[in-house]
Amino acid sequence: MSAFEAMTFAPAVDLLPVTRRYAALGDSYAPQVPTTPLPEPRLLHFNTALAQQIGLDAVAGQAAFTAIMAGNLPWPGYAPISSVYAGHQFGSFVPQLGDGRAHLIAELQGRDGARWELQLKGGGQTPWSRFADGRAVLRSSIREYLASEAMHALGIPTTRALSLVGSPQDVVRETIETAAVVCRAAPGFVRFGHFEYFYYQDRHDKLGPLADHVIGEHFPQFAGRADRYQAWLTEVIERTARLMAQWQAVGFCHGVMNTDNFSVLGLTLDYGPYGFMDAFDAHHICNHSDEGGRYAYDRQPQIGHWNCSRLLQATLPLLSEQPEQAVEIANGILEHYPPAYTRAMTGLWTAKLGLRETREEDPELINRFLSILHLGHSDFSRSFRHLSRVRSDTDEPAHGVRDEIADLAAFDAWTGDYRARLRAESSNDAERAARMNAVNPKYVLRNHLVQAAIEQAQGGSYGEIDTLFKLVNRPFEEQPEMERYAEEPPPSAKHIEVSCSS
Ligand code: AMP
Ligand code: MG
């Protein structure tokens, strides 16, 4: 008998009761698939704050709970399931993808009253693994674990991360690495690709029950309405537009914006070769597997729009029985995207500049600032953070921010206009600085910081994971002892390559 088979529940483990609501949709959406145990699982990090919120803090220290987080024991009362989906990957339709290494292990109502689903990533093969091993390596698991919480702390909708478990089990990628499992937590994990799967398979009768599940669980305000699909899709399209604006505002590049990585709840989902930009380059490509730059920084809003058009295509049968009318309704829904994006983006940029009002001339002001950063490869986060030091009541050169800038003549001219704009709304410098420091993060999860934590973990030490976890949980606060984590990467670490390999 192996170590995991021998392990049974300590009576003290008192987990929250589970419900089977997504699972109740049945096998054609998500068949039951057991997880595959990992040898010697070790809890490398645990998100205590999230566990408290959900109501799992009391069980966290117990060995049986670690076993559950590793996929070595099932959650009492819930048989794990893995869902099938499809998706447009780099623009081409792939008819069948699915949770190739993900298992939903519990659906529960948290102590916070919210609905939570817990999903293990890396828990072994499923019917949707397509010849791959069903595992995730420690490297990419650390990246996902930290990014989820970094984005959450920035106020950006995202799936969360509850735990990170490591195992000495070998996993073969370009080199031999070791396995890890992240437990992700979210209200739900339904993707655009779930709808695409049934649409392109011509199993249109499967679309309604899935949409009704999503609406019933996550958009109850629309449930029961005759126009509920239209209302829900409009909401998804608007949420996606706002999400893209939020990514742009912090210099976040997702890296793999395939429709199977887009959430129908408007959450950031599937952290692979993502990156928070250091030096600003409007055309920055963070994923080294993305040769054509399809998912470059400045294309993200457009790709978000295209992905929404794919979701609407896949849900046409829900909108009307008459194809022409369905297309007309879908086009009407899609029209919500550009204004929702522009409204959100304008609001975020003006907030980043510390403006209280929005005026006609503001887009020009922000675009000029961005182009100064772009042309001089200035650090994106540092430049915005330091902008709060520009004073409107004096023409003294702004300390700090000038150090980030290459073209000082252009910047000084811009600063003159910025000061005039601030005076035009009678801006108070101290108040403005406080507002700006609450939206321009001091600390973002820069690639070279995560890389250091990964390399340390690969050597058997996990302290840096915790250091970064705490750091990015307070991105807007000055943390004087952490000053070096706000610096741009050293030249040797500027070009860390991240790819789809995970
Ligand atoms: P991703 O690029 O991580 O979004 O993955 C694309 C698809 O490949 C998803 O359906 C994944 O579940 C699947 N996949 C990726 N890596 C693996 C793996 N190691 N084992 C099984 N399936 C995988
Ligand atoms: Mg994915």
Side-chain angles (χ1 to χ4, degrees):
M1 187 183 270
S2 75
F4 2 96
E5 281 168 306
M7 196 177 298
T8 51
F9 260 103
V13 174
D14 181 19
L15 295 168
L16 296 168
V18 284
T19 51
R20 298 185 61 83
R21 305 234 275 262
Y22 183 68
L25 284 167
D27 282 1
S28 43
Y29 299 89
Q32 293 184 10
V33 185
T35 52
T36 309
L38 275 172
E40 298 169 52
R42 174 170 168 183
L43 190 63
L44 304 183
H45 207 275
F46 188 69
N47 189 341
T48 312
L50 179 59
Q52 272 166 358
Q53 188 186 332
I54 301 178
L56 293 168
D57 41 320
V59 292
Q62 307 196 20
F65 191 68
T66 299
I68 294 173
M69 296 290 99
N72 289 9
L73 272 182
W75 197 283
Y78 199 96
I81 56 172
S82 292
S83 69
V84 64
Y85 53 79
H88 281 85
Q89 297 194 310
F90 290 91
S92 309
F93 185 65
V94 182
Q96 192 199 290
L97 295 157
D99 292 324
R101 50 172 167 175
H103 294 76
L104 195 65
I105 59 156
E107 297 176 63
L108 38 91
Q109 177 161 358
R111 186 191 283 153
D112 58 358
R115 176 195 161 80
W116 287 98
E117 290 185 3
L118 302 183
Q119 187 189 65
L120 298 186
K121 184 168 177 180
Q125 285 175 316
T126 77
W128 325 117
S129 298
R130 301 180 298 156
F131 308 110
D133 58 12
R135 292 300 182 193
V137 295
L138 177 60
R139 162 177 56 85
S140 63
S141 304
I142 292 172
R143 286 177 56 82
E144 170 135 27
Y145 186 77
L146 290 174
S148 311
E149 292 311 294
M151 291 290 267
H152 173 68
L154 289 167
I156 302 178
T158 177
T159 59
R160 305 288 305 277
L162 181 65
S163 66
L164 171 67
V165 171
S167 159
Q169 174 147 320
D170 283 349
V171 178
V172 181
R173 295 292 179 264
E174 286 80 6
T175 58
I176 295 180
E177 303 185 46
T178 58
V181 178
V182 171
C183 179
R184 304 197 284 201
F189 290 93
V190 178
R191 301 154 187 262
F192 287 13
H194 280 98
F195 290 90
E196 292 182 287
Y197 175 77
F198 294 108
Y199 175 75
Y200 290 102
Q201 280 223 339
D202 274 328
R203 291 159 74 189
H204 297 178
D205 60 315
K206 296 286 179 197
L207 296 170
L210 183 57
D212 283 325
H213 164 80
V214 169
I215 293 168
E217 298 295 331
H218 310 290
F219 301 84
Q221 66 274 32
F222 305 136
R225 271 168 50 174
D227 67 346
R228 63 191 179 282
Y229 300 129
Q230 190 171 337
W232 159 61
L233 288 164
T234 304
E235 176 71 21
V236 181
I237 269 66
E238 291 184 351
R239 283 190 193 186
T240 304
R242 291 196 295 267
L243 183 68
M244 295 305 105
Q246 287 181 292
W247 288 0
Q248 300 305 94
V250 296
F252 175 81
C253 299
H254 182 283
V256 200
M257 294 172 66
N258 297 335
T259 54
D260 48 291
N261 292 339
F262 263 53
S263 149
V264 300
L265 307 185
L267 307 171
T268 310
L269 171 66
D270 273 10
Y271 293 92
Y274 66 84
F276 286 88
M277 244 190 286
D278 299 304
F280 183 56
D281 169 6
H283 317 302
H284 179 67
I285 303 163
C286 64
N287 173 5
H288 285 78
S289 315
D290 181 10
E291 279 156 25
R294 179 180 170 86
Y295 299 140
Y297 172 80
D298 58 354
R299 299 202 60 192
Q300 294 193 132
Q302 207 179 312
I303 292 289
H305 180 261
W306 188 79
N307 286 352
C308 286
S309 78
R310 297 301 82 215
L311 175 63
L312 288 165
Q313 175 79 41
T315 49
L316 284 177
L318 298 176
L319 293 174
S320 171
E321 278 165 22
Q322 267 125 48
E324 274 171 30
Q325 196 184 18
V327 170
E328 203 175 301
I329 296 169
N331 281 328
I333 297 172
L334 193 59
E335 277 173 20
H336 286 252
Y337 186 101
Y341 171 75
T342 304
R343 212 178 312 120
M345 197 70 264
T346 307
L348 289 167
W349 289 132
T350 48
K352 285 177 82 70
L353 291 189
L355 304 174
R356 272 180 294 120
E357 303 160 5
T358 43
R359 298 190 177 191
E360 216 179 313
E361 66 267 29
D362 294 346
E364 205 251 344
L365 193 68
I366 182 66
N367 284 333
R368 261 170 68 210
F369 184 60
L370 289 173
S371 91
I372 291 168
L373 302 188
H374 171 78
L375 292 171
H377 306 293
S378 300
D379 189 88
F380 182 81
S381 304
R382 290 175 66 84
S383 299
F384 274 103
R385 181 76 180 186
H386 287 165
L387 212 49
S388 68
R389 299 184 192 171
V390 173
R391 303 217 358 221
S392 60
D393 56 1
T394 149
D395 287 334
E396 294 282 300
H399 224 50
V401 61
R402 267 176 128 250
D403 303 341
E404 309 294 335
I405 304 295
D407 185 348
L408 286 176
F411 179 66
D412 290 342
W414 181 84
T415 311
D417 293 343
Y418 179 45
R419 286 194 171 109
R421 174 66 184 81
L422 293 173
R423 285 188 214 112
E425 64 173 41
S426 311
S427 190
N428 170 301
D429 282 345
E431 280 170 25
R432 187 186 102 246
R435 274 201 313 277
M436 291 174 80
N437 288 342
V439 295
N440 292 318
K442 168 123 186 181
Y443 299 103
V444 292
L445 191 66
R446 295 170 186 268
N447 258 343
H448 73 285
L449 300 177
V450 197
Q451 190 58 29
I454 290 168
E455 283 168 23
Q456 205 195 63
Q458 287 170 336
S461 305
Y462 307 99
E464 195 63 13
I465 297 173
D466 188 53
T467 302
L468 290 183
F469 185 87
K470 290 181 177 134
L471 178 84
V472 297
N473 257 297
R474 295 157 54 207
F476 300 111
E477 281 172 49
E478 292 292 335
Q479 303 178 47
E481 69 292 356
M482 303 303 283
E483 200 61 35
R484 78 179 175 82
Y485 288 82
E487 284 169 13
E488 50 190 316
S492 59
K494 277 204 161 103
H495 301 287
I496 295 166
E497 299 215 342
V498 287
S499 70
C500 282
S501 157
S502 61

